[in-house]
Amino acid sequence: MADAAGDLPRIEIYSTLTRKKTPLETVQPGHVGMYLCGPTVYKPSHIGHMVGPVIFDTVKRHLAYSGWKVTWVVNVTDVDDKIIAESAARGTTMAKLAEEMTADYLENLATLGVTGIDVMPKATEHIGTIIAFIEGLIAKGMAYASDGDVYFDVTRDPDYGKLTNRSVEQTQGEGGSTAERKRSAADFALWKQAKPGEPAWDSPWGPGRPGWHIECSAMSKAILGPHFDIHGGGLDLVFPHHENEIAQSESLHDCPMATYWMHNGLMQAAGAAGKVGGRPRGGEGSADDAAAQAATKISKSTGAEPFKNLLARHRPEAIRVLLLSTHYRSPIHFGEEPLGESGRAMEAFERLFARSERITATDFYGLPCRDRRAGDAAVAAAGDEVTALRAKFLAAMDDDFNTAIAMATLFDLVRVVNKFIDQHGLETKKPAAELAALGAMLLVMRELTGVLGLFLQRPRQAAGADEGLVAQLMDLVIEIRANARKAKDFGTADLVRNKLTAAGIVLEDRPDGTGWSRK
RNA sequence: GGCUCCGUAGCCAAGUGGCUAAGGCAGCGGAUUGCAAAUCCGCCAUCGUCGGUUCGACUCCGACCGGAGCCUCCA
């Protein structure tokens, strides 16, 4: 369980299980097995579904960049009560609906630059694995069949509740119609008998389908082994889902399921007071205003619009920046305002990229991301300030993936590079030494933004068919205006600029000429 | 009622037992510009309230107030 590879950096990870940070030590030296609970595919994904994937994509990028080999698994729950209900309502089949919604999910992930998923198992493709897992639990006396269902017997699991610090007595269980088939209320279903007309698989207990928690235990074992390194998910999955996964897996295997349990904070729809969940709290006389403005997690708010709708209004880069600007364990305040703000903040990067491309004639997006983390000496050409910022960035990422600080150092880096360009007048002069230093700085920028999965592709231009024509016209307008300015005819020059601004085109008179961009 | 967690500038958001409490957005002043835009420089917080521990706390402990999550499906 120790990392023999001594050249790997020390990375600290917070685990919900221990409630503290400890240095990453992997089951297999140099290899990280990582499992993230993915979506139940019954509706188009919303922004809340994107949080975990973006965060763990960033985790994987940083681990891989730091020298580990990483296998990242994200499951897709494609058999479930909600899918059955939704497909019935739509008059389609569970399989078809799941396929459609999985495609939607994958498309959204790709848009956000989540590219690191290695394996994406589906529950329906692992029914045999799941049944074998359940049989193992029954054989060990940890589970029992009851009238076509199979339940996990929590009373046989001495450390049940260790993840969330609660006792069997404190859990209420599903209740409802299954109550009388269970030995105790906190027992949970491993296998559910099919009702007539429902999708079903044959099993030793009759036709049915897997319970909610078992697929993750069975599939993570099949792909990553009984004990792997990192298990992730949203904070709302800690109980009962992850608690029950631990119960199943550790009861069967007698070893830890995952060394680190990482949970991301939930998207909050600021101001969109949804229903007030949970049991009533003691006090009365609640402040109406506070209640009205209370944030609510997206999945329980009315703000959970399909992610695709969101993309019509906001650039994916702005969304990723927003997600990474907050520490991953904190809730994220979400809404039009925060998104617009992070969009504006992000444009400072793109302006710098464009500026440096004008100077160096090098495509920033085409620069190679340094894929293996190197020591300070490797980036010395970029100067002390940049080297120091890079060290700060890496230290932040090594400290439980503190992307908020990492982002802050990136903003500092933008300022440092802009200042360097200003001070050396690189837009008009081209001294070779300074250009080389600028190139080194941009390589660091490319390296670090790459670790966060940002700016990997040139943003798509507004795809107007007349784009070439517009560019030609703009060249003409700018030339005419330049002549006016030369002739000190500023009235004409300002008229042109003001009219263009009103039309959504911004003119910038720079030392090396006039540029334009769409607002 | 039980279990987690949070409360930092106008807004968002890091962080630390004692050194200048990151960064972003907005705002203000300056440099630059024909004027702008962009860029750069500078300004803008004593850390929910009240107690306690300590030589010293925003950081630890307690109480209180406010907010979030979970205890039922949820990323």
Side-chain angles (χ1 to χ4, degrees):
Chain A
M1 164 113 189
D3 279 315
D7 60 336
L8 291 171
R10 176 190 172 99
I11 292 183
E12 301 239 328
I13 300 180
Y14 180 93
S15 174
T16 307
L17 190 57
T18 58
R19 300 192 190 282
K20 58 183 185 196
K21 286 187 249 189
T22 45
L24 174 60
E25 289 182 12
T26 54
V27 176
Q28 297 170 45
H31 184 273
V32 174
M34 188 162 96
Y35 185 97
L36 175 70
C37 285
T40 299
V41 281
Y42 68 108
K43 277 191 173 170
S45 39
H46 60 251
I47 179 70
H49 295 115
M50 300 294 117
V51 180
V54 167
I55 286 165
F56 286 92
D57 179 73
T58 308
V59 167
K60 178 180 173 177
R61 284 177 194 275
H62 187 246
L63 291 176
Y65 162 78
S66 298
W68 276 273
K69 184 178 185 313
V70 183
T71 303
W72 181 23
V73 179
V74 178
N75 71 297
V76 171
T77 301
D78 62 347
V79 48
D80 163 273
D81 292 354
K82 288 191 298 295
I83 311 176
I84 293 171
E86 181 71 18
S87 57
R90 292 184 180 215
T92 182
T93 66
M94 182 177 81
K96 272 187 147 166
L97 179 67
E99 191 181 336
E100 191 182 319
M101 294 308 157
T102 302
D104 172 79
Y105 180 71
L106 291 174
E107 214 180 308
N108 294 147
L109 292 187
T111 310
L112 285 177
V114 176
T115 55
I117 300 172
D118 296 290
V119 190
M120 229 171 171
K122 295 176 182 173
T124 56
E125 291 169 356
H126 281 268
I127 299 293
T129 320
I130 291 167
I131 289 173
F133 200 105
I134 297 173
E135 287 181 311
L137 283 172
I138 293 176
K140 285 191 88 166
M142 299 303 298
Y144 57 91
S146 174
D147 197 19
D149 292 347
V150 181
Y151 293 97
F152 184 88
D153 189 343
V154 295
T155 63
R156 301 293 309 277
D157 182 10
D159 58 2
Y160 184 79
K162 69 179 179 181
L163 181 65
T164 49
N165 188 26
R166 69 186 83 200
S167 63
V168 170
E169 295 74 45
Q170 282 171 339
T171 72
Q172 307 194 150
E174 294 166 84
S177 59
T178 63
E180 66 277 7
R181 282 186 268 181
K182 298 195 285 188
R183 290 180 189 164
S184 64
D187 290 351
F188 55 90
L190 301 173
W191 188 262
K192 293 175 162 185
Q193 184 178 43
K195 298 192 192 81
E198 288 182 343
W201 287 262
D202 285 331
S203 82
W205 318 285
R209 62 181 183 275
W212 175 32
H213 315 295
I214 193 67
E215 67 177 74
C216 290
S217 284
M219 298 194 296
S220 65
K221 175 196 187 182
I223 298 163
L224 296 172
H227 180 190
F228 54 94
D229 303 298
I230 296 172
H231 190 127
L235 267 167
D236 53 351
L237 292 184
V238 182
F239 191 92
H241 187 51
H242 291 339
E243 191 74 78
N244 290 349
E245 281 186 46
I246 289 180
Q248 295 160 346
S249 291
E250 301 194 356
S251 293
L252 183 63
H253 302 134
D254 297 312
C255 69
M257 181 183 187
T259 313
Y260 304 89
W261 287 82
M262 292 178 65
H263 291 101
N264 60 270
L266 306 177
M267 271 284 174
Q268 305 282 325
K275 18 176 197 176
V276 178
R279 311 278 131 89
R281 329 184 85 110
E284 45 74 54
S286 58
D288 316 312
D289 295 319
Q293 297 192 345
T296 315
K297 68 174 180 170
I298 283 285
S299 57
K300 281 188 175 169
S301 79
T302 49
E305 64 175 338
F307 187 70
K308 285 209 175 114
N309 295 6
L310 199 63
L311 281 175
R313 280 175 282 125
H314 298 281
R315 303 254 314 273
E317 226 64 25
I319 297 170
R320 186 150 179 142
V321 165
L322 179 64
L323 295 184
L324 297 178
S325 295
T326 304
H327 185 94
Y328 76 83
R329 264 183 279 120
S330 300
I332 302 171
H333 288 268
F334 178 80
E336 291 302 304
E337 271 308 305
L339 273 173
E341 204 176 277
S342 80
R344 263 168 279 148
M346 172 214 62
E347 281 163 16
F349 287 89
E350 295 181 337
R351 271 186 241 112
L352 172 62
F353 302 156
R355 191 182 192 200
S356 65
E357 281 177 7
R358 265 180 264 125
I359 294 166
T360 63
T362 307
D363 171 16
F364 176 83
Y365 297 90
L367 290 175
C369 288
R370 206 177 265 118
D371 64 353
R372 186 74 194 264
R373 146 180 204 171
D376 287 352
V379 298
D384 292 345
E385 231 175 334
V386 171
T387 302
L389 284 175
R390 179 176 178 274
K392 187 181 170 194
F393 177 101
L394 295 178
M397 291 300 287
D398 289 347
D399 181 11
D400 197 30
F401 311 101
N402 195 327
T403 55
I405 291 182
M407 280 304 305
T409 65
L410 253 29
F411 281 107
D412 285 336
L413 191 54
V414 169
R415 184 167 39 74
V416 167
V417 178
N418 268 319
K419 201 198 306 196
F420 186 80
I421 294 172
D422 283 353
Q423 283 177 341
H424 296 280
L426 297 187
E427 282 172 309
T428 48
K429 296 176 284 185
K430 308 284 178 191
E434 278 72 21
L435 283 184
L438 175 61
M441 290 176 178
L442 291 169
L443 272 177
V444 173
M445 178 66 92
R446 189 356 110 219
E447 172 185 16
L448 301 185
T449 53
V451 171
L452 295 185
L454 288 171
F455 310 116
L456 294 173
Q457 288 188 326
R458 184 176 291 279
R460 286 171 301 154
Q461 296 299 318
D466 295 335
E467 213 44 40
L469 180 63
V470 170
Q472 282 189 319
L473 287 173
M474 283 306 300
D475 285 348
L476 175 64
V477 170
I478 286 171
E479 191 181 330
I480 294 172
R481 178 168 170 276
N483 289 336
R485 291 179 70 212
K486 241 178 257 166
K488 305 273 189 227
D489 177 7
F490 295 121
T492 301
D494 290 348
L495 177 72
V496 170
R497 190 174 58 201
N498 292 338
K499 290 282 186 188
L500 285 173
T501 304
I505 289 176
V506 181
L507 283 193
E508 283 183 37
D509 295 322
R510 296 184 294 248
D512 57 342
T514 298
W516 65 279
S517 59
R518 289 175 186 273
K519 182 83 174 61

